[in-house]
Amino acid sequence: MNAPETAVRTLTRGEQKQAYENNKLFKRLARQVGQAIADYNMIEAGDKVMVCVSGGKDSYALLDILLRLRERAPIDFDIIAVNLDQKQPGFPAHVLPEYLTARGVPFHVENQDTYSIVKRLVPEGKTTCSLCSRLRRGILYRVAGELGATKIALGHHRDDILQTVLLNMFYGGKLKGMPPKLQSDDGKHIVIRPLAYVKENDLEKYAQLREFPIIPCNLCGSQPNLKRAEMKTLLQEWDKRFPGRVDNMFSALADVVPSHLMDHRLFPFAGLRATGVADPHGDIAFDDEPCATPDSGTVPIVPFDAL
């Protein structure tokens, strides 16, 4: 007897469209992560990349995309996932080990009761983010050294970077962001953010698509009146009301003109002298206003010597 034929179900039009959108989403994320890695030389041949996995959508996506990119990368590098179990009440300690084991990813779980420290030292009603971040950062640096990791990969995305810029401007009085690559505080490690070009909205869709076993953070994410949450809402409103504004803000972070800011440590204003040579980045840069509306028209530029 012939073996029974296996029935092959034809995808509906809706399923075909969804499959197409899912594939397009992954390609976009892979392209953006790959571009960020290339632009900032984040990962090099022989690296051992320690991917910090918290159980949130961002770190899951980071690990997943790096694993998939490594399959076709032109260089060899290792990946080890690290989770810091901060002993938060109700934390499901089994979730990440089970997930990582199923994926065949080498991992290390570091058990440190930073939760009790934070709750003891931070007054009720005050935000815990600053102290929690410092404690977590120090522990991860130590673990990276113990594991022989050459890079520490964090899951911060484009929205995190923009929120940080606004936080520093509004509350810190600094024009400072969250760099895609930096040297650690102790000078011993290189920290990378491969999701720097990725929008949070795409990560949310990707997490749903990949069905990551999300673990909510009830230490920091549940705090009311967080300034970062305010920045997130502000950016979302701008993006909705003024399409393209947030994209331009992000582009501006990689197109800085120190001569048109005010930090005399970055540009030698004190020694600036007239050279008699026209400067394309001089005051003429403001004659064509970038904020002009499409129907406002443009004013022809007239040379000073013609006046």
Side-chain angles (χ1 to χ4, degrees), residues 17-89:
K17 181 179 179 181
Q18 188 59 55
Y20 171 77
E21 291 298 327
N22 292 343
N23 184 57
K24 188 166 70 171
L25 173 62
F26 171 71
K27 286 185 175 180
R28 179 165 65 251
L29 295 181
R31 182 181 68 254
Q32 291 171 338
V33 172
Q35 188 63 56
I37 291 174
D39 285 349
Y40 296 94
N41 193 30
M42 292 185 184
I43 299 177
E44 301 169 90
D47 268 341
K48 184 174 185 179
V49 182
M50 186 179 100
V51 181
C52 300
V53 183
S54 65
K57 69 180 189 313
D58 305 328
S59 58
Y60 270 126
L62 172 62
L63 176 64
D64 187 83
I65 295 170
L66 286 180
L67 288 171
R68 299 175 74 175
L69 286 178
R70 186 178 62 170
E71 295 175 358
R72 59 176 192 240
I75 60 173
D76 293 325
F77 62 94
D78 294 326
I79 291 175
I80 182 169
V82 169
N83 170 250
L84 173 57
D85 185 344
Q86 299 176 270
K87 300 306 174 184
Q88 298 178 35

Side-chain angles (χ1 to χ4, degrees), residues 166-183:
L166 295 183
L167 282 170
N168 281 315
M169 288 181 63
F170 295 166
Y171 300 103
K174 293 183 179 180
L175 190 57
K176 175 183 175 183
M178 182 183 283
K181 181 180 181 181
L182 75 155
Q183 180 178 265

Side-chain angles (χ1 to χ4, degrees), residues 215-291:
I215 302 174
C217 175
N218 56 16
L219 177 59
C220 57
S222 58
Q223 296 175 97
N225 304 320
L226 287 177
K227 297 301 182 185
R228 182 170 290 276
E230 293 179 12
M231 298 304 100
K232 180 176 182 178
T233 300
L234 178 62
L235 288 167
Q236 288 175 336
E237 291 177 352
W238 280 352
D239 200 32
K240 184 177 181 179
R241 294 177 57 195
F242 310 104
R245 171 178 290 186
V246 176
D247 291 333
N248 286 338
M249 286 179 61
F250 187 72
S251 297
L253 296 180
D255 193 5
V256 179
V257 185
S259 64
H260 284 62
L261 295 176
M262 297 178 63
D263 193 336
H264 57 81
R265 295 166 299 181
L266 297 180
F267 188 81
F269 292 103
L272 194 61
R273 299 288 186 273
T275 64
V277 178
D279 183 357
H281 298 292
D283 286 343
I284 195 173
F286 295 95
D287 291 339
D288 186 13
E289 289 291 340
C291 56

Side-chain angles (χ1 to χ4, degrees), residues 63-125:
L63 176 64
D64 187 83
I65 295 170
L66 286 180
L67 288 171
R68 299 175 74 175
L69 286 178
R70 186 178 62 170
E71 295 175 358
R72 59 176 192 240
I75 60 173
D76 293 325
F77 62 94
D78 294 326
I79 291 175
I80 182 169
V82 169
N83 170 250
L84 173 57
D85 185 344
Q86 299 176 270
K87 300 306 174 184
Q88 298 178 35
F91 180 78
H94 65 284
V95 172
L96 277 168
E98 290 178 358
Y99 172 81
L100 296 169
T101 299
R103 291 293 308 269
V105 181
F107 68 91
H108 169 77
V109 176
E110 182 71 14
N111 294 284
Q112 296 287 337
D113 189 3
T114 61
Y115 180 86
S116 296
I117 297 174
V118 170
K119 298 301 287 185
R120 184 177 74 250
L121 297 180
V122 179
E124 192 68 29

